Amino acid sequence: MTLPEPTPDISAFLASSVHDMKNSISILIGGMEKILAAADRESPEYQDMSHMMYETKRINGNLIQLLTLYKLGNHLYPFSPEDWLLDDFIHETLSQQQPLLESRGIAFEVDCEPDLIWPFDADLVGGVVGHALNNAIHYTQNRIRLVVRRAAEGLELRVEDDGRGYPQKMLDDGVAAMQGVDFQGGSTGLGLYFSAMVARLHRNKGKTGSIRLENGGAWGGGCFVLCLP
């Protein structure tokens, strides 16, 4: 009697492929940043290269989110909240976005309470803030603001822009818009799903982290808000 061949774990192959693609795209981004830094800002090629870098960073962010979700789902991710000085965290997170912000001529402001320390997983929260910034870069007219402050729910990180804001349906759907793919609207929902999961992983004194979407803020555009207990 011939035994059937074992079914391969396709998800492991997918995760491995995603990891490989992520590494290759990170090398591409590094090369693009060097080209942009040396390019003539007035040339038409500069804007084309800037747009290519935005799209490449967006793909890289999606791959990182997919790989992280795979690890979380298979209990492979070493979730490790540590005390972070928010000034240091912001500096590190923004260093990855600065070339793209500069290439697009976007004014950026940070409003952070001095010497603020909070426990969180910096890699996960950095991924959430990076996704929110990349989204704001796409929709802003020319200004983005990152606000970090203590609030009633805990630590609040707000990414605000001066764009048209979120569609009313997205605001009305609230949590439902963060549950997965919206085939009708054409959104993968990956970024919001990832952000909501990261928020829920952070717990402290019986409270759980959360995210929400608003319109308004300092400049009347879209506001992505992450709250950590």
Side-chain angles (χ1 to χ4, degrees), residues 177-193:
M178 307 168 192
Q179 300 301 313
V181 179
D182 176 9
F183 290 105
Q184 188 174 7
S187 169
T188 66
L190 175 62
L192 286 176
Y193 180 81

Side-chain angles (χ1 to χ4, degrees), residues 118 120 124-125 128-129 132 151-159 174-175 178-179 191-204 206-214 223-229:
W118 210 270
F120 53 87
L124 289 180
V125 174
V128 172
V129 175
E153 300 169 75
L155 179 69
E156 187 176 271
L157 298 98
R158 302 174 58 89
V159 176
V175 174
M178 307 168 192
Q179 300 301 313
L192 286 176
Y193 180 81
F194 172 81
S195 300
M197 175 169 277
V198 168
R200 288 196 299 269
L201 282 172
H202 287 81
R203 298 171 184 168
N204 190 14
K207 296 182 179 178
T208 304
S210 63
I211 65 171
R212 66 178 185 273
L213 305 178
E214 302 174 354
C223 307
F224 173 88
V225 186
L226 169 65
C227 293
L228 300 175

Side-chain angles (χ1 to χ4, degrees), residues 5 61 63 90 97 111 115 139 142-144 161 167 200:
E5 292 188 5
L63 292 175
I90 291 169
Q97 300 291 337
D111 181 358
D115 302 322
Y139 289 104
N142 55 18
R143 291 194 297 182
I144 297 175
D161 65 56
R200 288 196 299 269

Side-chain angles (χ1 to χ4, degrees), residues 46-60:
Y46 185 87
Q47 293 304 319
D48 290 342
M49 181 62 72
S50 174
H51 183 67
M52 287 170 60
M53 188 163 74
Y54 163 77
E55 293 293 347
T56 307
K57 287 179 75 72
R58 189 174 67 84
I59 293 170
N60 195 46

Side-chain angles (χ1 to χ4, degrees), residues 26-198:
S26 294
I27 294 172
L28 282 176
I29 290 173
M32 286 180 175
E33 289 177 349
K34 289 181 181 176
I35 293 172
L36 271 174
D40 177 4
R41 289 176 175 265
E42 302 303 322
S43 69
E45 292 80 8
Y46 185 87
Q47 293 304 319
D48 290 342
M49 181 62 72
S50 174
H51 183 67
M52 287 170 60
M53 188 163 74
Y54 163 77
E55 293 293 347
T56 307
K57 287 179 75 72
R58 189 174 67 84
I59 293 170
N60 195 46
N62 287 348
L63 292 175
I64 291 172
Q65 290 168 358
L66 284 171
L67 189 59
T68 304
L69 288 172
Y70 172 82
K71 290 181 178 179
L72 288 170
N74 288 276
H75 309 289
L76 298 172
Y77 185 86
F79 180 66
S80 57
E82 296 178 350
D83 284 347
W84 270 83
L85 179 63
L86 268 299
D87 287 330
D88 290 346
F89 171 75
I90 291 169
H91 177 75
E92 189 167 312
T93 301
L94 290 184
S95 67
Q96 300 172 25
Q97 300 291 337
Q98 202 65 37
L100 185 57
L101 289 165
E102 290 177 357
S103 71
R104 294 207 156 195
I106 296 172
F108 190 82
E109 291 182 15
V110 175
D111 181 358
C112 178
E113 183 180 325
D115 302 322
L116 182 57
I117 295 175
W118 210 270
F120 53 87
D121 186 303
D123 286 338
L124 289 180
V125 174
V128 172
V129 175
H131 167 76
L133 287 173
N134 219 39
N135 199 47
I137 287 170
H138 183 66
Y139 289 104
T140 185
Q141 296 184 55
N142 55 18
R143 291 194 297 182
I144 297 175
R145 181 170 178 252
L146 174 61
V147 183
V148 182
R149 64 191 181 194
R150 297 173 194 266
E153 300 169 75
L155 179 69
E156 187 176 271
L157 298 98
R158 302 174 58 89
V159 176
E160 304 176 351
D161 65 56
D162 63 346
R164 291 182 297 178
Y166 292 101
Q168 189 57 48
K169 182 178 184 310
M170 203 165 178
L171 298 177
D172 292 342
D173 288 348
V175 174
M178 307 168 192
Q179 300 301 313
V181 179
D182 176 9
F183 290 105
Q184 188 174 7
S187 169
T188 66
L190 175 62
L192 286 176
Y193 180 81
F194 172 81
S195 300
M197 175 169 277
V198 168

